[in-house]
Amino acid sequence: MSSQNLKAAAVFSNHMVLQRDKSICIWGTYKSEPTNNVITIELASNKTKTTIHEGTWSAELPPMQAGGPYIMTITDGIETITYTDIMIGEVWLAGGQSNMELKLQDSKNGKEVVASVDPALSSKIRFYNVPQQSYFSKDFYTVEEATSWELCTPETCGTWSAVAYYFEKNLATTLDVTVGIIGCNWGGTSASVWTSKEYLEKDEDSRTYLDEYEKEYSQFNSYEEYCSAVEEYDAWYAIWQKKVEDLYATDPDILWSKVQEIAGMNRWPGPIGPKAFFRPGGLYETMLSRVSPYTLRGFIYYQGEQDDCKPTIYGKMLRLLISQWRNDWKDDTLPFLLVQLPMFINQEEEDKKNWPQIREHQMITHQTIKNTGIAVIPDLGEYNNIHPLEKEEVGRRLALQAFYHVYGMEVPAYGPIYKNRIIRENSIELHFEHANDGFLVKGNSIIGFEIAGANKEYVSATATIEGNRIYVSSDEVTKPRYVRYNWTNYGPVTLYGKNGIPMSTFRTDRDA
C-alpha cells in the first residue's frame, strides 16, 4: 500500500531478500510533521520501534535464519506500508563498470539462458537494480520509487548483470538459500566515481581526479553554458553512435581509425560537469548512497578499465573505495571480492602495459587487505573487445572466492600465485602459492615469461616446470635478477593450476 508521508527507502519492496544472521537495517523518510512520532516495523514475529528525526527514521530488526516468505509492515499508526514475499537469505552488492553491468541477455549464450531459465530459480535468486541516475534531477525520486526487487523469470533476468546472475546462481544452488543481488554499476566509470569527495580529498594522488574535474568544469562561464554544451553533445552523440553502429553492421572488422574517419572523431563521454555520470564522487551520491546501509553479506566488484590512464595509483584508489564502502555499511570486515582484469587490447592500440599494472594492484590489494578475494580471469579476455562475453566462468570464479573466504568451504578457488624466488647461477627458481599439485599447460609450450638482469631489460625466457616450481632462464641473460609473467595488456594464457584457474600476472622487480 502506498502512503503520502511515510516512506521506506526505494530498495525495500515486495520480493526483497534480507540478509540472514545479521541485524537488519530498515530506514526511510517522513514528509510532514508527524502526528505520532513513533514508527513500528514488524517482520514475521519480530517487532521494533523507532522515532522520526528531522524527517528521517531508521531501525534494526534482530537477526533471522534463512527462510520465508514473510510479510513486513511499517506503520506510524495512521499510514501502513506492507511488503510481501520477503525471503531471508544471502545479499550481495555487485559494483563496478561495464563488465559488471553487461546484461545477461548480451553475454555468451545469454538469450538461450534467459529463455530457458529454470522455474525452480524463479524465487531462489532475486535482483534489485539501482537506477542509473547521474544527478538529482526533478524526476530523480520518481524514477527511484518505480524500482523494485525482481524474481528470476525470462521476462526479467535478461537485463540483470550477467556476472552477478551466475555468481548468485552458484551461491543459491550450493548454499540452498535465496540469494539477492543489488546491482550498482555503470559503464565507463573510474573508481573515483564510486568514492566520496571527502575520501578523494584525503590523498594527493586521489585528489587529482577532483582537481582535473574542477579545471575542466571551470572552462564554462556558467552552469547554463555547461547545460547547453551537454544538450549539443547529446544531440551529436545520438547521430554519431548510429553512424558507428551502421558501419560495424556493414563491416564487423572495420578499423576504429576508419570508423572515426567516416563517422567523425569520438567525443565520448562528453562535457564534464555537475550532470556527468563520470564526475568524481557523482555516482557515489546518486546510486551507492541510495542503498547504503542495506544489510549485506559483502561486495563483488569488477572495475579498473577506466583507470588505465592512472595505473600507478590504482591500488590507492581501490583501498580508498573499499574503506569507504565498509565505513558506509558500518562494518570494516565486510567481504570484498574483486575481479582481476583479463587480457585485452584494441586493434591498432599500443601496448602501454598499463593493464598488468592494474592487475598487480588488484592482487596486492587482495593480499594486503583483510577479507578480500580475487577472481583471476586473464584467459577470459577478448582481442579488440573490452567487453568479453564469457561471463558464466567469471561468476563461477567469484562464487569460488565466496565459498572459500566467506562460507568456509574447502574449494579450489585459486590458480597459482607468485610467492617468492631463488636466484640460481643461470636461472631463477619460482615458488607459488596454490600450486602444490603442480601446473597445467594449455598449448604446446609455456608463453609469457620474461627475464632480466640488474638493468631490468627484459627478454623472452624459457620456463621449465619441476613439480610445484618453475625455473626461468634465457641464453641472453647470464646473471638473471628479475622475472615477470604476462606483463602485457594482451597475450596468450598457457599456464594454469590443475583446477583450471590460470596463473596471475606478476613481476619480481616491483620494489627493486
Side-chain angles (χ1 to χ4, degrees):
M1 165 183 164
S2 63
S3 64
Q4 297 300 311
N5 293 312
L6 176 63
K7 292 184 183 296
V11 68
F12 299 101
S13 78
N14 297 333
H15 312 305
M16 64 180 149
V17 184
L18 299 174
Q19 178 61 47
R20 64 174 171 171
D21 303 330
K22 285 189 176 186
S23 296
I24 301 167
C25 183
I26 313 289
W27 74 96
T29 59
Y30 203 89
K31 186 176 180 181
S32 64
E33 189 66 28
T35 303
N36 174 11
N37 202 39
V38 177
I39 302 286
T40 302
I41 301 101
E42 191 167 358
L43 173 64
S45 60
N46 295 312
K47 181 187 289 188
T48 189
K49 295 185 178 182
T50 188
T51 56
I52 302 164
H53 179 68
E54 296 182 352
T56 65
W57 56 268
S58 65
E60 284 191 352
L61 289 163
M64 297 176 63
Q65 293 181 343
Y70 298 116
I71 295 173
M72 177 191 290
T73 59
I74 304 171
T75 184
D76 65 350
I78 300 173
E79 297 178 353
T80 299
I81 305 171
T82 301
Y83 298 121
T84 61
D85 188 35
I86 299 168
M87 298 299 293
I88 309 298
E90 290 295 295
V91 184
W92 289 77
L93 185 141
Q97 57 180 111
S98 54
N99 274 300
M100 183 63 85
E101 179 187 10
L102 192 136
K103 297 174 182 177
L104 177 59
Q105 64 194 17
D106 297 330
S107 66
K108 182 180 178 182
N109 301 323
K111 288 181 174 58
E112 292 84 354
V113 170
V114 170
S116 58
V117 164
D118 184 350
L121 283 177
S122 176
S123 187
K124 204 73 171 177
I125 62 176
R126 305 180 178 196
F127 204 92
Y128 177 81
N129 250 325
V130 180
Q132 292 184 333
Q133 302 190 85
S134 61
Y135 67 102
F136 289 96
S137 68
K138 60 182 176 62
D139 298 322
F140 182 92
Y141 298 102
T142 302
V143 171
E144 186 180 63
E145 289 172 8
T147 62
S148 63
W149 282 83
E150 295 179 338
L151 302 178
C152 183
T153 70
E155 293 73 35
T156 60
C157 70
T159 59
W160 297 5
S161 157
V163 169
Y165 167 83
Y166 288 115
F167 171 78
E168 67 174 332
K169 181 182 177 182
N170 273 276
L171 262 59
T173 302
T174 301
L175 301 176
D176 194 27
V177 297
T178 302
V179 179
I181 296 287
I182 297 175
C184 189
N185 37 71
W186 194 318
T189 52
S190 158
S192 66
V193 168
W194 301 103
T195 311
S196 72
K197 294 178 182 178
E198 291 74 21
Y199 267 64
L200 294 174
E201 287 171 346
K202 288 184 176 184
D203 181 87
E204 61 180 355
D205 287 328
S206 58
R207 199 182 306 124
T208 59
Y209 285 94
L210 294 171
D211 293 340
E212 289 162 5
Y213 167 80
E214 293 296 338
K215 182 179 179 181
E216 289 293 320
Y217 181 53
S218 67
Q219 296 180 25
F220 297 102
N221 294 315
S222 65
Y223 175 70
E224 289 71 24
E225 182 180 320
Y226 162 72
C227 290
S228 294
V230 171
E231 290 181 10
E232 182 277 328
Y233 169 79
D234 288 344
W236 167 85
Y237 184 79
I239 297 171
W240 178 84
Q241 181 64 16
K242 180 64 168 59
K243 291 179 181 177
V244 172
E245 290 173 356
D246 289 345
L247 287 167
Y248 277 113
T250 303
D251 180 8
D253 298 321
I254 188 172
L255 296 177
W256 180 237
S257 58
K258 189 66 176 177
V259 168
Q260 293 191 90
E261 179 184 324
I262 298 171
M265 293 299 293
N266 182 15
R267 292 169 53 192
W268 186 89
I272 191 165
K275 291 184 175 183
F277 74 89
F278 53 93
R279 73 187 190 281
L283 300 186
Y284 169 82
E285 296 174 350
T286 61
M287 291 182 66
L288 187 76
S289 294
R290 305 304 296 173
V291 293
S292 166
Y294 194 96
T295 308
L296 304 168
R297 178 63 69 192
F299 309 103
I300 56 175
Y301 187 74
Y302 190 162
Q303 189 275 332
E305 301 94 328
Q306 195 63 29
D307 287 300
D308 68 357
C309 57
K310 295 186 178 185
T312 60
I313 67 169
Y314 186 71
K316 188 175 291 186
M317 296 300 300
L318 198 50
R319 290 192 295 274
L320 273 177
L321 184 143
I322 294 171
S323 176
Q324 170 94 72
W325 289 19
R326 286 176 169 175
N327 180 69
D328 288 1
W329 264 265
K330 300 179 177 60
D331 183 353
D332 65 1
T333 67
L334 273 178
F336 197 101
L337 310 182
L338 296 155
V339 178
Q340 190 184 52
L341 292 190
M343 290 291 189
F344 164 73
I345 197 167
N346 270 322
Q347 196 173 11
E348 301 183 291
E349 188 174 71
E350 174 192 357
D351 187 352
K352 298 178 181 178
K353 302 191 183 300
N354 45 1
W355 279 47
Q357 292 181 64
I358 291 176
R359 293 183 203 116
E360 178 183 61
H361 282 299
Q362 290 169 325
M363 179 58 71
I364 293 170
T365 298
H366 163 55
Q367 292 174 324
T368 58
I369 294 184
K370 62 183 180 181
N371 296 337
T372 59
I374 189 166
V376 177
I377 63 163
D379 55 326
L380 303 182
E382 293 180 22
Y383 177 70
N384 202 37
N385 183 11
I386 200 169
H387 304 126
L389 301 183
E390 173 51 81
K391 299 304 187 197
E392 182 173 7
E393 182 64 8
V394 181
R396 187 187 79 88
R397 291 181 194 176
L398 273 173
L400 287 173
Q401 289 292 309
F403 294 146
Y404 184 84
H405 289 287
V406 181
Y407 300 108
M409 299 181 184
E410 291 297 325
V411 295
Y414 288 95
I417 295 177
Y418 169 74
K419 183 178 181 181
N420 55 43
R421 73 191 190 279
I422 297 174
I423 298 175
R424 301 298 185 185
E425 183 176 353
N426 296 311
S427 66
I428 296 180
E429 178 184 321
L430 301 173
H431 299 176
F432 298 86
E433 296 178 303
H434 311 289
N436 289 339
D437 295 332
F439 305 88
L440 174 66
V441 178
K442 295 188 178 182
N444 297 324
S445 61
I446 300 171
I447 299 172
F449 279 101
E450 297 173 286
I451 198 167
N455 59 7
K456 296 186 182 180
E457 293 182 4
Y458 283 92
V459 299
S460 295
T462 299
T464 303
I465 296 173
E466 293 187 16
N468 59 3
R469 300 178 182 184
I470 295 178
Y471 293 82
V472 182
S473 63
S474 170
D475 293 339
E476 298 179 49
V477 181
T478 56
K479 294 183 178 180
R481 287 276 302 273
Y482 307 112
V483 172
R484 64 187 188 188
Y485 172 71
N486 270 349
W487 200 257
T488 179
N489 283 15
Y490 183 84
V493 179
T494 59
L495 199 54
Y496 295 72
K498 288 295 180 68
N499 59 3
I501 297 178
M503 179 184 289
S504 176
T505 295
F506 72 88
R507 59 175 173 169
T508 67
D509 66 350
R510 185 173 62 87
D511 299 321

